[in-house]
Amino acid sequence: MSEARDLRPDERAVDLQPASDAALRFIGTIRTPWARREDCPRQGRHDGPLCRLVLDPVWHDALRGLEEYPTIEVLYWLDRSRRDLVLQNPRHDARTFGTFALRSPVRPNPIGTSLVKLERIEDGCVHVRGLDCLDGTPLLDIKPDRCAFSPKAPPKPGDTQDQDG
Ligand code: SAM
């Protein structure tokens, strides 16, 4: 459930019906060194500690080919966030911002994303650096880094030139 905290000056919450319109499927769990929110980095770093994306066994084969990418994108569900703020006063800034102008975990659909450094993949477990989430955060998705990704088309006749011809 969301962890309620008092509103800071100028923050505004709204009354919401419980969300029920989209069903996401968690694909695993993220293991990190951080048990408390205040110990988490605000954004991960590629020289940060090793973290693990532990996939449910049914998804192990879905990792095939991922090892080719030095950086990958991870999407996760910031499950311990409240979801009702439209205005927020970030802890490190005296100003007030709209939720969509922030990368705060407090948002109507608390999806976090990080571009992380892939260290290795072993037995359905992806070892990465660059995360910023609590231990036990549910894993939503993994994608190759969009800058490194190019669809791998199968070779067509004529792709390779015969040196003699
Ligand atoms: N990198 C992601 C992004 O930009 O979408 C998340 C950034 S958010 C500022 C990271 C912060 O969310 C952490 O510092 C911690 O305070 C908080 N957080 C981490 N894991 C969480 C979880 N499972 N539930 C709620 N808050 C979490």
Side-chain angles (χ1 to χ4, degrees), residues 96-119:
T96 301
F97 294 88
T99 289
F100 303 136
L102 296 170
R103 294 200 70 99
S104 158
V106 175
R107 48 203 325 112
N109 296 302
I111 295 173
T113 68
S114 287
L115 204 54
V116 302
K117 181 168 176 242
L118 175 59
E119 293 287 357

PDB file of all heavy atoms in Angstrom, residues 96-119:
ATOM      1  N   THR A  96       7.393  24.475  -5.951  1.00  0.00           N
ATOM      2  CA  THR A  96       6.301  23.509  -6.115  1.00  0.00           C
ATOM      3  C   THR A  96       6.211  23.135  -7.600  1.00  0.00           C
ATOM      4  O   THR A  96       6.272  24.010  -8.461  1.00  0.00           O
ATOM      5  CB  THR A  96       4.969  24.136  -5.673  1.00  0.00           C
ATOM      6  OG1 THR A  96       5.103  24.529  -4.312  1.00  0.00           O
ATOM      7  CG2 THR A  96       3.827  23.148  -5.816  1.00  0.00           C
ATOM      8  N   PHE A  97       6.080  21.847  -7.869  1.00  0.00           N
ATOM      9  CA  PHE A  97       6.016  21.375  -9.254  1.00  0.00           C
ATOM     10  C   PHE A  97       4.796  20.488  -9.455  1.00  0.00           C
ATOM     11  O   PHE A  97       4.337  19.803  -8.528  1.00  0.00           O
ATOM     12  CB  PHE A  97       7.248  20.520  -9.594  1.00  0.00           C
ATOM     13  CG  PHE A  97       8.541  21.270  -9.591  1.00  0.00           C
ATOM     14  CD1 PHE A  97       9.272  21.398  -8.420  1.00  0.00           C
ATOM     15  CD2 PHE A  97       9.021  21.859 -10.753  1.00  0.00           C
ATOM     16  CE1 PHE A  97      10.467  22.088  -8.404  1.00  0.00           C
ATOM     17  CE2 PHE A  97      10.217  22.555 -10.744  1.00  0.00           C
ATOM     18  CZ  PHE A  97      10.952  22.670  -9.567  1.00  0.00           C
ATOM     19  N   GLY A  98       4.286  20.470 -10.670  1.00  0.00           N
ATOM     20  CA  GLY A  98       3.291  19.472 -11.051  1.00  0.00           C
ATOM     21  C   GLY A  98       3.959  18.104 -11.116  1.00  0.00           C
ATOM     22  O   GLY A  98       5.133  17.983 -11.464  1.00  0.00           O
ATOM     23  N   THR A  99       3.197  17.092 -10.774  1.00  0.00           N
ATOM     24  CA  THR A  99       3.738  15.722 -10.739  1.00  0.00           C
ATOM     25  C   THR A  99       4.428  15.339 -12.048  1.00  0.00           C
ATOM     26  O   THR A  99       5.480  14.692 -12.040  1.00  0.00           O
ATOM     27  CB  THR A  99       2.583  14.741 -10.422  1.00  0.00           C
ATOM     28  OG1 THR A  99       2.223  14.940  -9.049  1.00  0.00           O
ATOM     29  CG2 THR A  99       2.965  13.297 -10.647  1.00  0.00           C
ATOM     30  N   PHE A 100       3.854  15.782 -13.183  1.00  0.00           N
ATOM     31  CA  PHE A 100       4.419  15.339 -14.463  1.00  0.00           C
ATOM     32  C   PHE A 100       5.664  16.122 -14.855  1.00  0.00           C
ATOM     33  O   PHE A 100       6.275  15.855 -15.895  1.00  0.00           O
ATOM     34  CB  PHE A 100       3.358  15.408 -15.563  1.00  0.00           C
ATOM     35  CG  PHE A 100       2.131  14.580 -15.222  1.00  0.00           C
ATOM     36  CD1 PHE A 100       0.862  15.077 -15.438  1.00  0.00           C
ATOM     37  CD2 PHE A 100       2.270  13.320 -14.662  1.00  0.00           C
ATOM     38  CE1 PHE A 100      -0.255  14.326 -15.095  1.00  0.00           C
ATOM     39  CE2 PHE A 100       1.159  12.560 -14.317  1.00  0.00           C
ATOM     40  CZ  PHE A 100      -0.113  13.067 -14.531  1.00  0.00           C
ATOM     41  N   ALA A 101       6.047  17.093 -14.029  1.00  0.00           N
ATOM     42  CA  ALA A 101       7.303  17.808 -14.251  1.00  0.00           C
ATOM     43  C   ALA A 101       8.414  17.240 -13.378  1.00  0.00           C
ATOM     44  O   ALA A 101       9.487  17.832 -13.278  1.00  0.00           O
ATOM     45  CB  ALA A 101       7.109  19.289 -13.964  1.00  0.00           C
ATOM     46  N   LEU A 102       8.152  16.119 -12.735  1.00  0.00           N
ATOM     47  CA  LEU A 102       9.123  15.506 -11.816  1.00  0.00           C
ATOM     48  C   LEU A 102       9.348  14.043 -12.175  1.00  0.00           C
ATOM     49  O   LEU A 102       8.505  13.419 -12.817  1.00  0.00           O
ATOM     50  CB  LEU A 102       8.583  15.560 -10.380  1.00  0.00           C
ATOM     51  CG  LEU A 102       8.387  16.944  -9.770  1.00  0.00           C
ATOM     52  CD1 LEU A 102       7.622  16.835  -8.458  1.00  0.00           C
ATOM     53  CD2 LEU A 102       9.730  17.630  -9.553  1.00  0.00           C
ATOM     54  N   ARG A 103      10.459  13.483 -11.682  1.00  0.00           N
ATOM     55  CA  ARG A 103      10.675  12.029 -11.774  1.00  0.00           C
ATOM     56  C   ARG A 103      10.430  11.373 -10.416  1.00  0.00           C
ATOM     57  O   ARG A 103      10.902  10.279 -10.136  1.00  0.00           O
ATOM     58  CB  ARG A 103      12.086  11.723 -12.295  1.00  0.00           C
ATOM     59  CG  ARG A 103      12.290  12.181 -13.739  1.00  0.00           C
ATOM     60  CD  ARG A 103      13.445  11.488 -14.409  1.00  0.00           C
ATOM     61  NE  ARG A 103      13.191  10.093 -14.667  1.00  0.00           N
ATOM     62  CZ  ARG A 103      12.801   9.587 -15.835  1.00  0.00           C
ATOM     63  NH1 ARG A 103      12.598  10.384 -16.862  1.00  0.00           N
ATOM     64  NH2 ARG A 103      12.616   8.290 -15.979  1.00  0.00           N
ATOM     65  N   SER A 104       9.663  12.038  -9.596  1.00  0.00           N
ATOM     66  CA  SER A 104       9.315  11.531  -8.273  1.00  0.00           C
ATOM     67  C   SER A 104       8.627  10.165  -8.384  1.00  0.00           C
ATOM     68  O   SER A 104       7.887   9.909  -9.339  1.00  0.00           O
ATOM     69  CB  SER A 104       8.356  12.545  -7.635  1.00  0.00           C
ATOM     70  OG  SER A 104       7.603  11.936  -6.625  1.00  0.00           O
ATOM     71  N   PRO A 105       8.815   9.295  -7.383  1.00  0.00           N
ATOM     72  CA  PRO A 105       8.081   8.027  -7.382  1.00  0.00           C
ATOM     73  C   PRO A 105       6.584   8.223  -7.125  1.00  0.00           C
ATOM     74  O   PRO A 105       5.796   7.310  -7.348  1.00  0.00           O
ATOM     75  CB  PRO A 105       8.732   7.246  -6.231  1.00  0.00           C
ATOM     76  CG  PRO A 105       9.357   8.278  -5.355  1.00  0.00           C
ATOM     77  CD  PRO A 105       9.725   9.427  -6.239  1.00  0.00           C
ATOM     78  N   VAL A 106       6.218   9.406  -6.651  1.00  0.00           N
ATOM     79  CA  VAL A 106       4.812   9.687  -6.348  1.00  0.00           C
ATOM     80  C   VAL A 106       4.123  10.157  -7.622  1.00  0.00           C
ATOM     81  O   VAL A 106       4.348  11.265  -8.104  1.00  0.00           O
ATOM     82  CB  VAL A 106       4.727  10.770  -5.256  1.00  0.00           C
ATOM     83  CG1 VAL A 106       3.287  11.165  -5.007  1.00  0.00           C
ATOM     84  CG2 VAL A 106       5.379  10.274  -3.978  1.00  0.00           C
ATOM     85  N   ARG A 107       3.310   9.291  -8.212  1.00  0.00           N
ATOM     86  CA  ARG A 107       2.621   9.596  -9.459  1.00  0.00           C
ATOM     87  C   ARG A 107       1.453   8.635  -9.604  1.00  0.00           C
ATOM     88  O   ARG A 107       1.400   7.617  -8.918  1.00  0.00           O
ATOM     89  CB  ARG A 107       3.575   9.531 -10.653  1.00  0.00           C
ATOM     90  CG  ARG A 107       4.454   8.316 -10.726  1.00  0.00           C
ATOM     91  CD  ARG A 107       5.730   8.531 -11.560  1.00  0.00           C
ATOM     92  NE  ARG A 107       5.551   9.387 -12.675  1.00  0.00           N
ATOM     93  CZ  ARG A 107       6.124  10.618 -12.762  1.00  0.00           C
ATOM     94  NH1 ARG A 107       6.926  11.072 -11.824  1.00  0.00           N
ATOM     95  NH2 ARG A 107       5.899  11.370 -13.811  1.00  0.00           N
ATOM     96  N   PRO A 108       0.482   8.972 -10.468  1.00  0.00           N
ATOM     97  CA  PRO A 108      -0.721   8.136 -10.511  1.00  0.00           C
ATOM     98  C   PRO A 108      -0.410   6.687 -10.863  1.00  0.00           C
ATOM     99  O   PRO A 108      -1.065   5.768 -10.345  1.00  0.00           O
ATOM    100  CB  PRO A 108      -1.591   8.803 -11.583  1.00  0.00           C
ATOM    101  CG  PRO A 108      -0.743   9.821 -12.253  1.00  0.00           C
ATOM    102  CD  PRO A 108       0.368  10.165 -11.334  1.00  0.00           C
ATOM    103  N   ASN A 109       0.538   6.476 -11.750  1.00  0.00           N
ATOM    104  CA  ASN A 109       0.988   5.119 -12.082  1.00  0.00           C
ATOM    105  C   ASN A 109       2.488   5.063 -11.810  1.00  0.00           C
ATOM    106  O   ASN A 109       3.290   5.509 -12.633  1.00  0.00           O
ATOM    107  CB  ASN A 109       0.689   4.801 -13.562  1.00  0.00           C
ATOM    108  CG  ASN A 109      -0.801   4.792 -13.815  1.00  0.00           C
ATOM    109  OD1 ASN A 109      -1.544   4.040 -13.200  1.00  0.00           O
ATOM    110  ND2 ASN A 109      -1.254   5.667 -14.695  1.00  0.00           N
ATOM    111  N   PRO A 110       2.873   4.557 -10.653  1.00  0.00           N
ATOM    112  CA  PRO A 110       4.268   4.730 -10.203  1.00  0.00           C
ATOM    113  C   PRO A 110       5.262   3.812 -10.916  1.00  0.00           C
ATOM    114  O   PRO A 110       5.813   2.889 -10.343  1.00  0.00           O
ATOM    115  CB  PRO A 110       4.182   4.431  -8.708  1.00  0.00           C
ATOM    116  CG  PRO A 110       3.020   3.523  -8.559  1.00  0.00           C
ATOM    117  CD  PRO A 110       2.039   3.885  -9.634  1.00  0.00           C
ATOM    118  N   ILE A 111       5.470   4.127 -12.195  1.00  0.00           N
ATOM    119  CA  ILE A 111       6.428   3.373 -13.003  1.00  0.00           C
ATOM    120  C   ILE A 111       7.770   4.088 -12.951  1.00  0.00           C
ATOM    121  O   ILE A 111       7.843   5.293 -13.215  1.00  0.00           O
ATOM    122  CB  ILE A 111       5.938   3.260 -14.465  1.00  0.00           C
ATOM    123  CG1 ILE A 111       4.661   2.423 -14.512  1.00  0.00           C
ATOM    124  CG2 ILE A 111       7.022   2.672 -15.365  1.00  0.00           C
ATOM    125  CD1 ILE A 111       3.986   2.382 -15.866  1.00  0.00           C
ATOM    126  N   GLY A 112       8.815   3.367 -12.584  1.00  0.00           N
ATOM    127  CA  GLY A 112      10.176   3.899 -12.612  1.00  0.00           C
ATOM    128  C   GLY A 112      10.912   3.295 -13.793  1.00  0.00           C
ATOM    129  O   GLY A 112      10.659   2.150 -14.182  1.00  0.00           O
ATOM    130  N   THR A 113      11.818   4.090 -14.366  1.00  0.00           N
ATOM    131  CA  THR A 113      12.653   3.554 -15.443  1.00  0.00           C
ATOM    132  C   THR A 113      14.105   3.932 -15.166  1.00  0.00           C
ATOM    133  O   THR A 113      14.371   5.020 -14.635  1.00  0.00           O
ATOM    134  CB  THR A 113      12.259   4.114 -16.826  1.00  0.00           C
ATOM    135  OG1 THR A 113      12.577   5.503 -16.880  1.00  0.00           O
ATOM    136  CG2 THR A 113      10.795   3.921 -17.111  1.00  0.00           C
ATOM    137  N   SER A 114      15.008   3.047 -15.517  1.00  0.00           N
ATOM    138  CA  SER A 114      16.438   3.334 -15.403  1.00  0.00           C
ATOM    139  C   SER A 114      17.161   2.676 -16.560  1.00  0.00           C
ATOM    140  O   SER A 114      16.843   1.552 -16.945  1.00  0.00           O
ATOM    141  CB  SER A 114      17.019   2.755 -14.104  1.00  0.00           C
ATOM    142  OG  SER A 114      16.613   3.493 -12.990  1.00  0.00           O
ATOM    143  N   LEU A 115      18.128   3.409 -17.076  1.00  0.00           N
ATOM    144  CA  LEU A 115      19.035   2.848 -18.059  1.00  0.00           C
ATOM    145  C   LEU A 115      20.222   2.308 -17.263  1.00  0.00           C
ATOM    146  O   LEU A 115      20.921   3.090 -16.611  1.00  0.00           O
ATOM    147  CB  LEU A 115      19.485   3.967 -18.997  1.00  0.00           C
ATOM    148  CG  LEU A 115      19.952   3.589 -20.378  1.00  0.00           C
ATOM    149  CD1 LEU A 115      18.911   2.752 -21.108  1.00  0.00           C
ATOM    150  CD2 LEU A 115      20.245   4.856 -21.167  1.00  0.00           C
ATOM    151  N   VAL A 116      20.415   1.009 -17.268  1.00  0.00           N
ATOM    152  CA  VAL A 116      21.409   0.416 -16.375  1.00  0.00           C
ATOM    153  C   VAL A 116      22.513  -0.272 -17.169  1.00  0.00           C
ATOM    154  O   VAL A 116      22.342  -0.590 -18.348  1.00  0.00           O
ATOM    155  CB  VAL A 116      20.759  -0.590 -15.389  1.00  0.00           C
ATOM    156  CG1 VAL A 116      19.677   0.088 -14.575  1.00  0.00           C
ATOM    157  CG2 VAL A 116      20.197  -1.797 -16.130  1.00  0.00           C
ATOM    158  N   LYS A 117      23.624  -0.498 -16.491  1.00  0.00           N
ATOM    159  CA  LYS A 117      24.768  -1.182 -17.107  1.00  0.00           C
ATOM    160  C   LYS A 117      24.592  -2.683 -16.879  1.00  0.00           C
ATOM    161  O   LYS A 117      24.439  -3.121 -15.729  1.00  0.00           O
ATOM    162  CB  LYS A 117      26.037  -0.678 -16.437  1.00  0.00           C
ATOM    163  CG  LYS A 117      27.297  -1.264 -16.967  1.00  0.00           C
ATOM    164  CD  LYS A 117      28.482  -0.454 -16.430  1.00  0.00           C
ATOM    165  CE  LYS A 117      29.767  -1.090 -16.887  1.00  0.00           C
ATOM    166  NZ  LYS A 117      30.583  -1.546 -15.786  1.00  0.00           N
ATOM    167  N   LEU A 118      24.611  -3.436 -17.969  1.00  0.00           N
ATOM    168  CA  LEU A 118      24.457  -4.889 -17.851  1.00  0.00           C
ATOM    169  C   LEU A 118      25.810  -5.516 -17.527  1.00  0.00           C
ATOM    170  O   LEU A 118      26.775  -5.344 -18.272  1.00  0.00           O
ATOM    171  CB  LEU A 118      23.911  -5.448 -19.165  1.00  0.00           C
ATOM    172  CG  LEU A 118      23.787  -6.963 -19.277  1.00  0.00           C
ATOM    173  CD1 LEU A 118      22.886  -7.523 -18.191  1.00  0.00           C
ATOM    174  CD2 LEU A 118      23.253  -7.354 -20.646  1.00  0.00           C
ATOM    175  N   GLU A 119      25.887  -6.218 -16.417  1.00  0.00           N
ATOM    176  CA  GLU A 119      27.142  -6.881 -16.033  1.00  0.00           C
ATOM    177  C   GLU A 119      27.165  -8.325 -16.532  1.00  0.00           C
ATOM    178  O   GLU A 119      28.108  -8.752 -17.156  1.00  0.00           O
ATOM    179  CB  GLU A 119      27.317  -6.857 -14.514  1.00  0.00           C
ATOM    180  CG  GLU A 119      27.534  -5.455 -13.941  1.00  0.00           C
ATOM    181  CD  GLU A 119      28.926  -4.891 -14.253  1.00  0.00           C
ATOM    182  OE1 GLU A 119      29.747  -5.595 -14.865  1.00  0.00           O
ATOM    183  OE2 GLU A 119      29.171  -3.729 -13.887  1.00  0.00           O
TER     184      GLU A 119
END
